[in-house]
Amino acid sequence: MKIYHVSKERKRKRGSRLRKAIGRTVIFVILIFFAVLFLTPIVLTICNSFMAQSEISSNYGVIFSNATTSGGKTYISETVNLKFLPDMVSFHQYITVLFKSPEYLLKFWNSVILVVPIVIFQLAVALLASYGFARYRGKIREIIFFLYIILMLMPYQVTLVPNYLVSNWLHILDTYWAIWLPGIFSPFAVYLLTKYMRRIPVSLIEAAKIDGAGEWQIFRKICYPLCKGCMCSVAILIFIDYWNMVEQPLILLSNAEKHPLSVFLSKINEGEVGLAFAVATIYMIPSLLVFFYGEEYLVEGIAYQGGVKG
């Protein structure tokens, strides 16, 4: 009787392990499917950037030239041929973008000029503001922090008109300041860093106070080092968000020469589809480099809950 119960228990455990293994396999297959699905447009863009213009026209020209218009709507009359591997690798598109047409590189540097100051100064402002919210509690501070949350939850399209009116009042329309100022004082980084700093053990700060540390020393030697992972995570998210911005430059910068490459990409002519693939590939490089460089910090900033790491 005892042997029967032991064998039954073993079968039950074996069945449980089998179900868990099947469940993990199913989840893995689903994740692989969605990963391939999300990566397909990126891979397609990179591969097509090495195609000759004639090959691109033969594969996708139907979208741009053989469309018929009826009742204000555009219909595609033939099937598009999605092709990943070019018949012959060509660097003509990149040569045109990098050497023969400086307009693309100008727009690229416009993007850098607009985004880098926002990332740096938004982090600086957010660090100081977050330290104040985390260290000192009170009804007024909680109300202000609640307003920060409300502003963060609002889509940018809602605040675009007030930003335009304020920029017009400050006489900074059609200047980089119209993009910089709303970005630098965005509540996004303040909210994340505040929630992160509030997880720092109070005992660390009290111990520093007993040793005679002032507020600046507490901030510089305790809060700032513990928040480096979170800061890298926030910097990556800020960079990607503003690197892909479109609405702000279109509304606040009337001079097209100051537009970033994200806006210019949507205006590439129909006959320059190959250039669009090449420019899009170049435009993806900074975001990919930032992500791969800060991937470890991004995961650490999300997973680490504050305190001293062993």
Side-chain angles (χ1 to χ4, degrees), residues 13-75:
K13 290 182 177 180
R14 191 180 300 113
S16 177
R17 287 195 296 268
L18 181 61
R19 286 192 297 270
K20 289 181 180 178
I22 293 174
R24 286 194 293 266
T25 304
V26 171
I27 294 174
F28 179 75
V29 170
I30 293 174
L31 291 176
I32 290 295
F33 170 76
F34 280 105
V36 172
L37 186 65
F38 292 142
L39 288 174
T40 298
I42 298 176
V43 175
L44 185 68
T45 301
I46 295 174
C47 293
N48 286 184
S49 67
F50 293 101
M51 287 185 182
Q53 182 62 43
S54 57
E55 187 176 358
I56 292 175
S57 300
S58 64
N59 292 327
Y60 309 106
V62 59
I63 299 178
F64 305 101
S65 59
N66 296 336
T68 57
T69 304
S70 176
K73 298 181 179 180
T74 302
Y75 299 92

Side-chain angles (χ1 to χ4, degrees), residues 11 28 61 69 135 148 156 162 200 254 307:
K11 288 181 180 179
F28 179 75
T69 304
R135 286 281 292 117
Y148 264 80
Y156 189 82
I200 297 176
S254 58

Side-chain angles (χ1 to χ4, degrees), residues 75-108:
Y75 299 92
I76 298 176
S77 58
E78 297 179 21
T79 303
V80 176
N81 179 26
L82 292 179
K83 193 173 182 180
F84 287 91
L85 297 178
D87 294 334
M88 184 179 64
V89 176
S90 173
F91 294 94
H92 177 72
Q93 319 291 358
Y94 288 99
I95 294 174
T96 301
V97 170
L98 297 175
F99 302 106
K100 296 182 179 180
S101 182
E103 190 174 15
Y104 297 102
L105 290 180
L106 175 63
K107 302 300 181 183
F108 179 87

Side-chain angles (χ1 to χ4, degrees), residues 206-233:
E206 290 178 348
K209 280 186 173 182
I210 293 174
D211 291 339
E215 292 296 336
W216 174 248
Q217 290 176 314
I218 293 173
F219 169 77
R220 186 169 60 88
K221 295 185 177 180
I222 296 178
C223 294
Y224 174 73
L226 290 177
C227 289
K228 282 185 177 180
C230 184
M231 287 173 56
C232 291
S233 304

